[in-house]
Each structure stands twice: as C-alpha cells, then as structure tokens.
Amino acid sequence: METDLGLWAVPIAMLGGAIRVSTPILFVSLGETLTERSGRINLGLEGTLVFGAMSGYALAVMTGSPWLGVIAAAITGALFGLVHGLICSLPKVNDIAIGIAMMLLGMGLAFYFGKPFIQPVAPDLPAIPLGWWSDLPQVRAALQVNVLFLIGLVAAGVLWWMLKATKIGLTLRVVGDSTDAARALGLTPSLVRTLATAAGGAFAGIGGAYLSLYYPGSWNEGISSGQGLMAVALVIFARWNPIACVGAAMLFGAAGALGPALQTIGVSSGYYLFYAAPYVLTLGVLIATSSPTQALSGAPGELSINK
Amino acid sequence: MTLPKFSRRTFLSTSAALAAGAAFGPLPARAAGGMTVGFIYVGPKDDFGYNQAHAEGAAAVAAMDGVTIVEEENVAETTDVQKSMESMINFDGASLIFPTSFGYFDPHVLEVAPKYPDVRFEHAAGLWTEGMPSNIGSYFGYIGMGQYLNGITAGHMTASKKIGFVAAKPIPQVLLNINSFLLGARAVDPSITCQVIFTGEWSLAVKEAEATNALADAGCDVITCHVDGPKVVMETAAGRGCYICGYHADQSPLAPEKYLTGAEWNWAGVYPKMVQTMLDGGTIPNFLRGGLADGFVKMSPLGPAVTDAARTQFEATKAEIMKGGFQVIKGPLKDNKGNEIAGAGEGFAEDDIRLESMDYLVEGVIGATS
C-alpha cells in the first residue's frame, strides 16, 4: 500500500509540514504586520488566536458550517483588536502591557466559553488535493492544501500591494512612521491605529479558526501552545513585509515537521533538540541579518520598541 | 530580601478559614457529617483522555450517599496544585484528595501532605515508596495489558506490517505501553514492527498531529498513542485512513469505523471502593495496584472493522490475562539495541515491580528513548 521513501521522506514531510502548520502563523503575522505598520504592537494576538479557535469551532458545531465558524472567528478577532485599539488610544497607555492583558483575557474567556465544545466534533474546512498527479500517498497527503492557506497567500500579496501602492497603505505608513507628520496631514493617528489593530485581530481570529477547524482540527485548551506569540516575533523576522511573512511562516512550519520526520527515518536520539529547530532557526536568522551599526531596517518609526 | 519563616499562603488561608468559621459556623461539608473528596486535573475533564478517565471516576464518587466532591481542572504541575490542594482542604473541608497528574507528586504532594496529617492524598502512578508520609497513597492500573490486547487487534488488521505509536515522554509506563503494543502485534505476526515518535510533552496538539502524519507517511496503518488527550491523534490517524486503537478512555465516537478497540482506565470502578474504605473507617493501602481482572482497567468494545480471527484471539488472550500471572515481557527477548532483557523461560508478570523502572524499547520497536 504505502511505499518506503528512505531519506526523501524528510523533505516531503517538511513540505507537508510547511503547508499544514504555517497557516495560523501566517495569518497572525499578517495581522500583526498590519497593526505594527500603524505604529502599535498588539501582543494579545495569542489570546485572539485561541479565542478565534474556540468561537470558530463553537459556531461550526452549532451551525454545521465551518465557513460560518471562520466568519465568527474573524468577527470576534476584530472585536478583540478593537478593544485593544480603543484602550491604547487613551493617553499614557502602554500598548505592550494592554496586549499582555488582552492575551490573558482572550485565553481565559476562550477556556470559559469553550468548555462545552471540547467533546463535540465540528465539520472540517475543505482541502484541495493538489497532489493528484503523484502515486505516492506521502506526496498526496503533503499536498492536501487547505483553502485558508491559499487565501492567506493571496492576502499576503494584497497586503503587500496595499501598503506599497494605495492611499490606505500610505496613510497607514505615515501614521506608523511619524505621528506628527500624520497630524500635519490632517489624519487621526489613533483612529487609523485602532482600525489597523481591529483588522489585525480579524486575521488572527481566522488563524485560530484554521487551528480548530482544520489542523489539528479540534478545540481544546492547549490548541495553540504559543504559536500566536511566535508569529508576533516572526513579524520582526519578516521585517514588516507581508510577503516575507509567508516565507517566515512556511520556514517555521517546515522546521516543526523536522522532528517527527527524522524519528521515522531512524534519527531518533536527541529529538528534544530537533523540536527546538524552529526557534534555533529564528535565532540564527535574526543574528545573521542583524547589524551592529543601524536600527532594524523597515521598522515603523512609532513602534514603542523603537522609542 | 529575607523574610522570617512564615508562609503567607498558609497565613492567608488559615486566617480566612478562621474568619469564615467565625462568620458561618462550621463549614457545611463537615457539618453534614459527610465526606468531601477533591479531584484535581491537569487538563480539561472532558478531553477524551487521561483527565476524562479520572473525571468519570469522580462522577461515580459523587453518586455515593453522603459524599460531596470538589473538582478543579487545568491545574498546572507547579505550586498552583499546592494552592488548589490547600484550598480544597481549608475551604471545602476535603479529607481525601486525588491530585491525578503524574507531575503533581514530587514535590507538590510531598510538600503539602505532611502539613495535613488527617487528610488522605491518593496519587495516580506508582511513585509512593516506603519512608514517604503515610497519608499519601499511590495507585495504578496495569494498563500495559490493555495495550497488549490493542496490539493483538492491530496485528490482525495491519496490511503493511507496520504499526505506529505516538508517545509523550519516555517514562517507564509509556515504554511498557509501547512494548506491550508491539508484543501483542507480534503474537499475531512476528514480522511486525512498531514505529514510535515521542512528542516530548503530555499535551501538544500540533506536534501530536505532525507525529501522527509522520507515522502515516512512514507506512504505519494502525496507530495508538500515550498522550493526555488522544483526540487529535485519533482524528488525524483516522483521517489518513489508518485504523486506531484507543487509550485512557473510549474514543470510538471520534471515528467509529476505524476504531478497533482501546485500553481504558476504569476509575469509576475503583474510586468508589477507595472512598467506601475511608467511610467505613478503614485505611486505603499506600500501594494499590490492579489490572483487568481487578477492574482497574477495561477494554473498549471491539469496533465493526475487527475481523473474526482477531476477535477470537483477542477474547482468548483476554481470558488468559483475567486468570492472572500472564506475562507480556518474557524471554527470550532483546531490546532494540541488542541487549538481552529476558532469557528463555524468564518472564515478568504484570505486577512485577521491575516493570515500573522499564528503560528500554524491545526488539521490533523503531525509536529511541532519548
């Protein structure tokens, strides 16, 4: 039935892992890119991700439609973003502290409301079998591509274009780089930032729906295990560029598949070390691309980490 | 900064309990003359797994006359569990506590138990040894036998002659389960191998899903696991077209067509007996064990996919185990590095204490313990 692939199993598994695992990380990092480009950091996206996973799963269980679940997750995510944005618009409020509070709030609420939904089984989001051309079951399994992953790719392209070439993008960048310049242009920085945070929250909510409705595809309290936080960190890694977010998220997903894949081909000692691969990789790239002489390139000027 | 020897938590809880006592008289649970039993879980109590198995036991205790239960879920294996235990004792009047997770024992139960000599602590997993406080008991079931029976159905149902195991951490109980699963399958066909993947954590949904996919990619077509909540493994494996064998609790509702059988805890049959012992004024043994025959462990009903040949061998072996003295680990047997585990004629019955320090994977298991 199945064929032994030998060493080829590892790259195929990493490709599959990149496609399966990257989607929530991609959505959260896209959302965070949007928010940070406006000059604010929302660390609460881990909470938004978890709440999105819960609300998406709950609605899919109740209505039988996973897509309604995705929409619900996006809406609740936007609400979380809105709350963060509004609170941070008050004078002398630190966005990082509020982000941490929102993260804990989101997780707490998700655990509370999610209690009755741990047992029921929700319908899964559909996947497109892009591996039909191959006879190998491993390749076919790796190329089961979820629709949300494709939407994420398109969204990355659109965001990139929007930031670069549209008036909305320009507004966002001005607000993110200099509050004073934005004011002089007659813009309202706090409004722009609040909307950008809400949009970023919606992205994170959709990422959560992917977790609970496709992969791993069930709601429980440990579903995210910190992916939202990693994704926020990946934004720096991707230099606030939506296209680079795709690469960063896929690299992270592929590195995550390395540990299990190596165990199946017989490299089984030191698996704790392989499980740390994504983090080691991130550290390595950050060190390699850092510069002792200048600040992070591409960082929005108004980010509180730059001040 | 150094503080005098003074525990703020003890002070707070004691003073709060005194204040509550002064305001409302004796606590209701004690006033009723009944008994309050506390249950602490490391995850959600409806996780289709380890915690659900314990919660089913708790529900059976709650149904007893004159017994109230208090439960707390999602308690981390940190000082959080000490706080939970102390609050169950001081505020709810619990006189028997089941801190169910493996990591609660050392140092948390060991630290709290000496402070409350009148309270009984019962911990799942075999960690109590002579010299530890006598108000701690440890109980466990020989669930490896269940994995052996899982292995027998797996051995009949596998077409690729490769079966898979998603394991959390290489502790003795997990290793015994892996070895038993393979040896059960080898009782059907000695050419079967078992691929094991360790995730390193008791509950990590994405990694469990990745591990299951990696097993399916490697050609395994029957998969079981030892993680806290097997739901993700079961659903992912069934989604990849593999047969599944359950663990901890009955997971058949998740994929009824693919579910062969499962090794389940039967705490609902055990906990009420332990509580009854205390109600009758007796003492629960500090060291309590039992297997299929004692009702500590049970098997899920066989699924619709199981063939008649598998059913026959499953039932026959189960009857054999129920008689007692059945040996899963028996010679001649080597580990997967070639070292001898047992010579011809040598064997370990399920209650052999040496099995509780197992540190090897038997020949035929593909994987390493570290």
Side-chain angles (χ1 to χ4, degrees):
Chain A
M1 188 178 95
E2 312 245 0
T3 338
D4 193 7
L5 293 180
L7 287 178
W8 273 105
V10 176
I12 290 175
M14 287 177 73
L15 173 70
I19 293 171
R20 285 190 300 257
V21 180
S22 64
T23 309
I25 300 171
L26 173 62
F27 272 92
V28 175
S29 57
L30 285 180
E32 184 68 10
T33 299
L34 202 59
T35 308
E36 292 193 12
R37 274 301 187 96
S38 80
R40 237 180 227 156
I41 293 177
N42 182 2
L43 277 187
L45 290 187
E46 167 80 5
T48 313
L49 184 77
V50 173
F51 197 86
M54 189 285 294
S55 55
Y57 197 77
L59 218 77
V61 168
M62 288 188 289
T63 63
S65 160
W67 290 108
L68 281 178
V70 174
I71 292 170
I75 293 173
T76 53
L79 285 177
F80 270 95
L82 200 63
V83 172
H84 182 278
L86 289 175
I87 297 176
C88 290
S89 297
L90 300 170
K92 306 241 178 210
V93 172
N94 181 294
D95 53 353
I96 292 182
I98 297 299
I100 293 172
M102 291 298 294
M103 174 170 87
L104 297 174
L105 176 73
M107 290 166 67
L109 285 178
F111 293 177
Y112 178 73
F113 290 114
K115 204 77 243 171
F117 297 103
I118 294 176
Q119 287 254 329
V121 177
D124 273 358
L125 285 166
I128 303 170
L130 292 183
W132 46 268
W133 47 269
S134 172
D135 296 331
L136 294 172
Q138 292 92 333
V139 174
R140 264 182 276 160
L143 290 178
Q144 283 281 332
V145 177
N146 187 269
V147 184
L148 274 185
F149 175 70
L150 300 175
I151 294 177
L153 292 185
V154 173
V158 170
L159 275 183
W160 176 79
W161 171 77
M162 188 201 81
L163 284 168
K164 192 180 155 70
T166 68
K167 184 155 182 245
I168 304 174
L170 185 66
T171 309
L172 208 62
R173 275 159 43 210
V174 171
V175 169
D177 276 332
S178 166
T179 311
D180 295 339
R183 285 221 178 89
L185 286 170
L187 299 168
T188 320
S190 60
L191 177 69
V192 174
R193 288 182 186 144
T194 303
L195 292 178
T197 316
F203 272 98
I206 296 173
Y210 178 91
L211 279 179
S212 62
L213 290 174
Y214 185 67
Y215 194 77
S218 79
W219 158 247
N220 69 56
E221 289 156 10
I223 189 92
S224 157
S225 45
Q227 291 179 72
L229 278 174
M230 267 326 286
V232 171
L234 280 186
V235 172
I236 303 177
F237 178 43
R239 296 285 185 266
W240 296 271
N241 177 347
I243 302 286
C245 284
V246 175
M250 290 194 64
L251 197 64
F252 207 74
L258 190 64
L262 282 178
Q263 287 192 50
T264 62
I265 61 157
V267 185
S268 46
S269 41
Y271 52 85
Y272 276 104
L273 217 57
F274 293 119
Y275 285 148
Y279 311 100
V280 175
L281 198 76
T282 311
L283 269 179
V285 177
L286 279 178
I287 293 169
T289 57
S290 71
S291 159
T293 52
Q294 64 182 63
L296 286 175
S297 59
E302 288 290 326
L303 277 192
S304 44
I305 49 167
N306 284 346
K307 287 192 203 159
Chain B
M1 189 177 74
T2 51
L3 282 171
K5 256 191 116 44
F6 167 77
S7 156
R8 197 162 37 141
R9 179 171 294 137
T10 318
F11 172 75
L12 282 176
S13 52
T14 317
S15 49
L18 283 174
F24 306 112
L27 290 165
R30 283 172 180 160
M35 178 177 170
T36 301
V37 186
F39 292 87
I40 305 173
Y41 315 110
V42 74
K45 63 177 183 180
D46 38 14
D47 62 353
F48 273 106
Y50 187 81
N51 298 297
Q52 179 172 324
H54 286 291
E56 284 168 6
V61 171
M64 297 171 71
D65 280 336
V67 181
T68 332
I69 69 163
V70 282
E71 294 177 290
E72 194 175 339
E73 303 170 79
N74 296 313
V75 179
E77 292 173 339
T78 62
T79 46
D80 280 5
V81 69
Q82 300 191 18
K83 209 164 65 184
S84 295
M85 287 189 283
E86 297 211 35
S87 99
M88 282 177 172
I89 295 164
N90 291 321
F91 295 110
D92 303 307
S95 51
L96 170 62
I97 298 206
F98 288 89
T100 56
S101 187
F102 185 84
Y104 288 162
F105 190 77
D106 190 5
H108 309 297
V109 170
L110 290 178
E111 226 160 79
V112 173
K115 286 198 239 171
Y116 302 94
D118 297 334
V119 177
R120 181 85 192 170
F121 298 82
E122 283 293 334
H123 184 259
L127 296 174
W128 185 86
T129 50
E130 286 297 337
M132 289 182 180
S134 60
N135 57 332
I136 303 177
S138 83
Y139 59 93
F140 215 61
Y142 302 122
I143 202 165
M145 290 291 167
Q147 280 291 11
Y148 184 78
L149 289 169
N150 273 351
I152 286 177
T153 57
H156 279 279
M157 302 305 294
T158 176
S160 65
K161 303 296 169 199
K162 244 185 129 175
I163 56 179
F165 200 112
V166 179
K169 301 184 182 192
I171 62 167
Q173 284 136 10
V174 177
L175 298 178
L176 178 59
N177 282 332
I178 299 167
N179 292 335
S180 302
F181 185 56
L182 174 77
L183 292 171
R186 287 205 158 181
V188 179
D189 179 346
S191 71
I192 292 174
T193 57
C194 176
Q195 171 82 53
V196 58
I197 294 185
F198 289 99
T199 64
E201 283 299 332
W202 292 112
S203 181
L204 251 172
V206 174
K207 198 140 282 166
E208 286 157 17
E210 278 299 294
T212 312
N213 272 312
L215 289 175
D217 283 343
C220 302
D221 59 357
V222 186
I223 290 176
T224 189
C225 65
H226 186 164
V227 295
D228 267 357
K231 191 181 179 194
V232 165
V233 174
M234 297 295 147
E235 288 185 330
T236 311
R240 288 292 301 266
C242 301
Y243 287 117
I244 48 180
C245 291
Y247 190 64
H248 285 318
D250 185 4
Q251 285 103 28
S252 60
L254 296 173
E257 297 303 314
K258 292 289 178 186
Y259 195 78
L260 300 178
T261 181
E264 300 176 34
W265 300 108
N266 187 28
W267 298 133
V270 177
Y271 288 174
K273 287 184 195 157
M274 292 166 79
V275 173
Q276 194 59 48
T277 306
M278 281 193 62
L279 284 174
D280 297 343
T283 314
I284 308 169
N286 291 93
F287 188 88
L288 187 65
R289 298 286 192 282
L292 275 167
D294 317 282
F296 276 54
V297 174
K298 62 181 178 186
M299 297 304 291
S300 317
L302 291 173
V306 175
T307 58
D308 286 340
R311 184 179 298 271
T312 311
Q313 190 173 355
F314 175 91
E315 296 294 354
T317 313
K318 192 174 160 194
E320 223 18 68
I321 293 171
M322 298 291 266
K323 281 189 215 157
F326 189 85
Q327 297 174 341
V328 168
I329 307 289
K330 63 166 189 270
L333 186 67
K334 285 186 172 152
D335 73 10
N336 67 358
K337 293 180 190 134
N339 305 315
E340 185 169 272
I341 303 296
E346 194 185 351
F348 303 76
E350 64 178 7
D351 55 354
D352 195 315
I353 196 75
R354 285 175 294 173
L355 292 179
E356 298 191 18
S357 54
M358 181 174 274
D359 59 357
Y360 52 84
L361 293 165
V362 298
E363 188 177 12
V365 177
I366 307 163
T369 55
S370 61

